[in-house]
Amino acid sequence: MIRTDVARGAVVALACISAAACADGFLHEPATAGNARVAITALQGVAGAEQAFDKADGLQIRVTERNGARVLYDDAVAVSADGGPIRASLDIDLSGRPVDVSMEVGVRRGGDDLFLGEERFTLIPGEESQVSLELRPVPSGLDVPEIPQFTTFGQTFPLEGRVLFATGDEIPSAQLSWSSQTPDLLAVRQVPGGGYVAEAIADGQGALTATYQSVTESVPAPVRAVVVSAEMVP
């Protein structure tokens, strides 16, 4: 039993929560007695991330009682996004009583989350709750350049990189933080205006770590000081 909603370029296929909420395989207005309807609008909340949003092919929706006693809905549904927000509606069986709930929505590509959103509200039998979710991007990986070998002590190198969605698209305005795994060989400091630089201190096989939220990348950074001139003192 499937309902298909078409909303501003987004096509969402949703399985019905219960047989009582369906007729002819589709959900119908209004919600049946004892049920509540949830009307979801998922908004892509980061300017410049539309390309990743439009590659979404699924939603993961989970609705639970706020006290954690019961999962009311937990399923993945197909989606074909093509600009604009994604809208979907669900009928949930409440057994005739109001329920305080938490809802989590993931916008996915394959099995990977691209965006996540959460909201808390109260479901009331026979009524519709309109929920607008502003989604936050989910980082999947980092794209950091290779760091060339340091050849003199005191030499610095600007540390840069990009944060990526699971699609490979860049998350706009996401700023990496950097740290040194070998502070006796390489120092890392922030610079005015933002950004980081690494500075060579001593010879050895240095290493740096780029971090964004829970995503990290280890980057080798060797220091091999080269003698460019020597003075003989008799």
Side-chain angles (χ1 to χ4, degrees):
M1 294 178 289
I2 299 292
R3 168 185 177 169
T4 301
D5 282 346
V6 181
R8 293 185 61 182
V11 181
V12 185
L14 296 175
C16 294
I17 302 275
S18 65
C22 303
D24 303 324
F26 295 89
L27 296 174
H28 292 274
E29 304 282 351
T32 58
N35 288 7
R37 174 158 289 124
V38 184
I40 304 167
T41 302
L43 302 170
Q44 192 287 105
V46 179
E50 294 83 6
Q51 189 171 4
F53 189 77
D54 289 346
K55 293 177 182 177
D57 60 11
L59 294 178
Q60 181 71 41
I61 304 173
R62 180 180 175 87
V63 182
T64 60
E65 290 191 33
R66 206 176 301 172
N67 62 12
R70 185 165 56 132
V71 177
L72 302 175
Y73 185 75
D74 188 6
D75 203 3
V77 297
V79 62
S80 177
D82 187 21
I86 296 173
R87 292 187 173 90
S89 62
L90 307 172
D91 265 13
I92 297 181
D93 183 3
L94 299 181
S95 300
R97 63 182 179 86
V99 178
D100 294 329
V101 300
S102 298
M103 182 174 68
E104 301 173 356
V105 175
V107 177
R108 292 185 158 190
R109 173 77 174 183
D112 297 311
D113 286 321
L114 303 179
F115 299 87
L116 291 175
E118 302 91 18
E119 189 58 271
R120 292 185 172 189
F121 53 98
T122 299
L123 290 173
I124 299 175
E127 296 187 8
E128 179 180 272
S129 297
Q130 297 188 10
V131 181
S132 180
L133 295 169
E134 186 164 321
L135 304 171
R136 65 181 186 276
V138 177
S140 177
L142 306 179
D143 177 24
V144 294
E146 180 179 347
I147 296 177
Q149 177 174 292
F150 291 86
T151 57
T152 60
F153 300 144
Q155 180 182 353
T156 61
F157 185 80
L159 301 175
E160 301 174 343
R162 302 185 305 148
V163 185
L164 305 178
F165 289 100
T167 58
D169 297 295
E170 183 177 0
I171 297 179
S173 303
Q175 298 296 318
L176 291 174
S177 62
W178 288 84
S179 61
S180 177
Q181 299 176 34
T182 53
D184 54 331
L185 306 180
L186 289 164
V188 173
R189 66 175 186 272
Q190 285 187 274
V191 296
Y196 293 79
V197 296
E199 180 180 355
I201 297 175
D203 272 330
Q205 183 56 52
L208 305 173
T209 298
T211 304
Y212 183 79
Q213 296 181 6
S214 61
V215 183
T216 63
E217 183 80 22
S218 180
V219 185
V223 180
R224 300 286 185 269
V226 177
V227 177
V228 295
S229 65
E231 181 179 351
M232 297 295 292
V233 178

